[in-house]
């Protein structure tokens, strides 16, 4: 992501005050930057949105500070710790703040029509103990990308539908000299995404139907045992050990024409197209056919109670979640809208056709258990440990058992907060 544009000086001032005696309210929003340069920084989106909003709301000022993803969560945490919480934050997780009773429930903010328009599975993912605190801001799903030229050169005529198909195709690609038949990024950047996608395709996931961690389930152990035996140990995941391969490096290798298959999100389409890579996209293969459950990733908007601007925040967020603004941001960064109405518009718009495979998965997506206060700690452990499960001499069962014990302990500690 692009480097931070810098937190404006207003954040050092007294939060929540307008000009003395003016009756003006100042709302402060800290947001993440989805751009990769100053030219496409999210600051430009927010500046245009705020200018339009303020034109119709002369008694409300909105000041938006945009930070890179490397910094934004930490910056908000520091502000909250200093007693200077922003009115709103658009970041990666909300559960810790909700557990500390720092956030407004969504029902106190958004109008009923806007609440009802949020995609149901995303609204559900925004809950802590059955109360919604996180508002989904933008989403993405993952599909299997494959290099059409490498497939054709190797004589492969169809995209894989099952794990066995994927393994067989990877073996053919390797025999044809492809450097990385299947890229398996289990490095520290985003191992939690690749892991969850494989666990879902194997029939389980991180949690069971009632929200308890289930790392050590029989299906999960079988999934990573298959990965180790059928892909990694056979040399079908390339020269870099999965534990050392990050998503960004895997994407770069794909756009350089060195990867036969990998799991990717919508932004990979643009970079691959710019590099002239001819690619196809299909749902993730499953144990016996196409997977019926898909990984979804969402980023979140939340509103802090500290400054007492509930009504103004709610009105501004209703504007943020209008179709026009939701679609503008999603299209700017090749992501997916988080409302039913905007999703329907995107599905019916020819210029958005490239996103159709990702939109089609939205109804069957499952998201990280972000409503658990333990998730940040558990996610960090997955990033650190999961690659070891498929390393030479590694034991998928031992790694998953260890993660289960750690997750249960972190969950219990979170419940005590």
């Amino acid at each position: 992501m692009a480097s931070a544009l810098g937190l404006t000086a207003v954040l050092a001032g007294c939060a929540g005050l307008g000009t003395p005696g003016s009756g003006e309210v100042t709302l402060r929003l800290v947001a993440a930057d989805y751009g990769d340069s100053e030219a496409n920084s999210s600051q430009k989106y927010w500046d245009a949105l705020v200018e339009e909003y303020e034109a119709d709301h002369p008694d409300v000022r909105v000041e938006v500070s945009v930070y890179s993803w490397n910094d934004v969560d930490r910056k908000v945490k520091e502000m909250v710790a200093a007693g200077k919480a922003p009115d709103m934050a658009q970041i990666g997780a909300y559960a810790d703040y909700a557990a500390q009773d720092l956030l407004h429930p969504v029902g106190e903010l958004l109008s009923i029509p806007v609440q009802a328009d949020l995609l149901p599975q995303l609204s559900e993912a925004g809950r802590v103990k059955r109360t919604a605190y996180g508002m989904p801001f933008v989403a993405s799903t993952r599909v299997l990308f494959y290099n059409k030229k490498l497939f054709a050169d190797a004589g492969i005529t169809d995209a894989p539908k099952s794990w066995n198909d994927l393994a067989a195709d990877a073996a053919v690609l390797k025999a044809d000299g492809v450097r990385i038949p299947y890229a398996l990024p289990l490095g520290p950047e985003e191992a939690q995404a690749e892991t969850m996608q494989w666990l879902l395709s194997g029939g389980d996931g991180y949690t069971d139907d009632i929200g308890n961690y289930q790392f050590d389930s029989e299906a999960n152990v079988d999934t990573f045992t298959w990965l180790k035996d059928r892909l990694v140990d056979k040399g079908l995941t390339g020269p870099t050990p999965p534990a050392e391969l990050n998503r960004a490096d895997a994407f770069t290798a794909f756009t350089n024409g060195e990867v036969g298959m990998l799991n990717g999100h919508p932004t990979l389409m643009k970079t691959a197209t710019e590099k002239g890579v001819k690619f196809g996209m299909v749902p993730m293969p499953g144990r016996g056919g196409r997977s019926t459950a898909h990984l979804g990733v969402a980023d979140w908007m939340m509103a802090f109670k500290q400054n007492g601007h509930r009504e103004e925040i709610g009105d501004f967020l209703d504007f943020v979640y209008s179709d026009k603004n939701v679609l503008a941001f999603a299209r700017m960064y090749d992501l997916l809208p988080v409302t039913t109405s905007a999703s329907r518009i995107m599905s019916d718009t020819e210029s958005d056709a490239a996103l159709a495979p990702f939109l089609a998965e939205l109804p069957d997506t499952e998201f990280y258990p972000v409503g658990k206060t333990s998730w940040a700690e558990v996610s960090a452990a997955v990033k650190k440990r999961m690659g070891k499960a498929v390393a030479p001499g590694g034991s998928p069962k031992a790694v998953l058992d260890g993660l289960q014990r750690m997750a249960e302990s972190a969950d219990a500690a979170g419940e005590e907060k």
Side-chain angles (χ1 to χ4, degrees), residues 156 163 190 264 271 294 304-305 357 374:
I156 304 172
W163 287 358
E190 207 190 29
T271 52
H294 310 289
F304 288 87
K305 296 192 292 187
S374 59

Side-chain angles (χ1 to χ4, degrees), residues 235-257:
L236 302 180
T237 54
T240 303
E244 300 174 16
L245 181 64
N246 281 326
R247 178 197 62 177
D249 296 326
F251 280 16
T252 297
F254 185 81
T255 62
N256 288 338

